[in-house]
Amino acid sequence: MGTETNSVYLSSFFSAADVVIEHGVPSGFNLVHALVGRLAANHLPGVDPSPIVNAVLQRERASHTVVGEGVALPHARIEGLTRPYLALGIYPAGIPSPEEGGAPVRLVFLLLVPESQPARYLQILRALANLLREPGMTDRLAAVTSGEEVMQLLRRSERRLPDYLCADDVMDPVTLSLRSAEPLSAALDLFMTQQVTELPIVDEAGRLVGTVDSRALLGCFIPTGFRRLFPTLQHTPAPTMGVLAERLREASRTRVTEDMNTDVCTCQPETPAKEIAADLAERNATHCYVLDGDHRLVGIITLSGFFRRLLKD
C-alpha cells in the first residue's frame, strides 16, 4: 500500500498484491469471495471476510454494477473499516454479463469503503469512471500479466491532476492548536519552539473560533514607536524597555481570544481543492482550516502541504 491514504489517486488504495488475474470463468460468489479474501489477507488480518462478502453480494442483488465495456464495480460501505480498500480482478476470458446482450466482463474493481465516509466512496467511484473513460484503458488493463503492470498503468494515468480532489485529500491532521482559555504566553511558547507562524484557536468542544498569527502577535507587544528604535536597540531608554517587559508579563494574563483573527479561511472535507486554492489566493492566506458539520476543526491545509499533495507523482 502507498503511504498517502488521503490521496484520491487510485494507486494509493491498493497494490500489486491486490490484483487477481484468473483465466477461468468464476461464479459471482467465487469472484467476490476471492477479491474480498485477497483484501482481508493483505490488509485485515483476523477479520472474517464472510460478512463483507455477504454485504457486497446483497448490494449486487439490489442492483448489479456492470458499467459497460466489460467492467463491473461491485462495492459496499462496511461498518468498522477505517479507510477504503480496492481490489482488481482481471478475467481475460470474460464472464457472462448479467445484462442481456452485454459484453463479457473482463475487469472487476471491488471497492470497500467505511460506512462513515460516503464522500470518499463517491470520489473513488468517480476516479474509476474517469480512468475507464481513457481510450483503450479497458483493453490495456485486461491484457496485463501482473499486478505490477496494473500499477504502472495507473500511475501513468495519474500524471494529470484530477478535478475531484477535495479538502479531505490534501489536508494534514491537527497537531498544534490553542484552547480559547489559554494565555498569549502559550502562543509565544509554540511560536518559539515549534517553528510555526499561525495557530488555530478552538473552544472546549474543538470548534474553531479564530487564529493567532506570529506577526500580528509581535505587533501587540511592540510599544508605539518602538520599531524606530530597533537600529539602536542598545541605546533604548530604560522606560521603553520597561513597557515592553510589562507587555510580555501581560501575556500570561491575557487570553489568546483577545488578540485572535476571526476572518479565517475555512472549508469542509468535501470542498473541491480548486475552490480552496482560489480562496487562499483571494485572501492571500497561508492556511485553510477544515471543519466538520459541527464546526469542529478536523484538519489543516497549508500552502506547502497543498502543493506537496497536488504535485505528488
Side-chain angles (χ1 to χ4, degrees), residues 143-195:
V144 303
T145 59
S146 69
E148 287 74 15
E149 290 182 53
V150 172
M151 302 306 293
Q152 291 172 7
L153 279 173
L154 289 183
R155 291 184 180 118
R156 282 200 293 269
S157 74
E158 294 166 347
R159 297 300 182 185
R160 186 172 62 85
L161 297 179
D163 293 334
Y164 46 82
L165 223 60
C166 69
D168 193 37
D169 306 308
V170 297
M171 73 182 186
D172 290 311
V174 181
T175 56
L176 294 173
S177 64
L178 294 164
R179 293 289 183 179
S180 54
E182 289 190 85
L184 281 175
S185 57
L188 284 171
D189 288 341
L190 289 176
F191 287 139
M192 289 187 294
T193 60
Q194 300 299 320
Q195 296 183 335

Side-chain angles (χ1 to χ4, degrees), residues 49-64:
S50 299
I52 300 176
V53 171
N54 292 335
V56 175
L57 292 175
Q58 183 178 357
R59 172 66 181 79
E60 284 295 295
R61 285 192 291 269
S63 176
H64 66 76

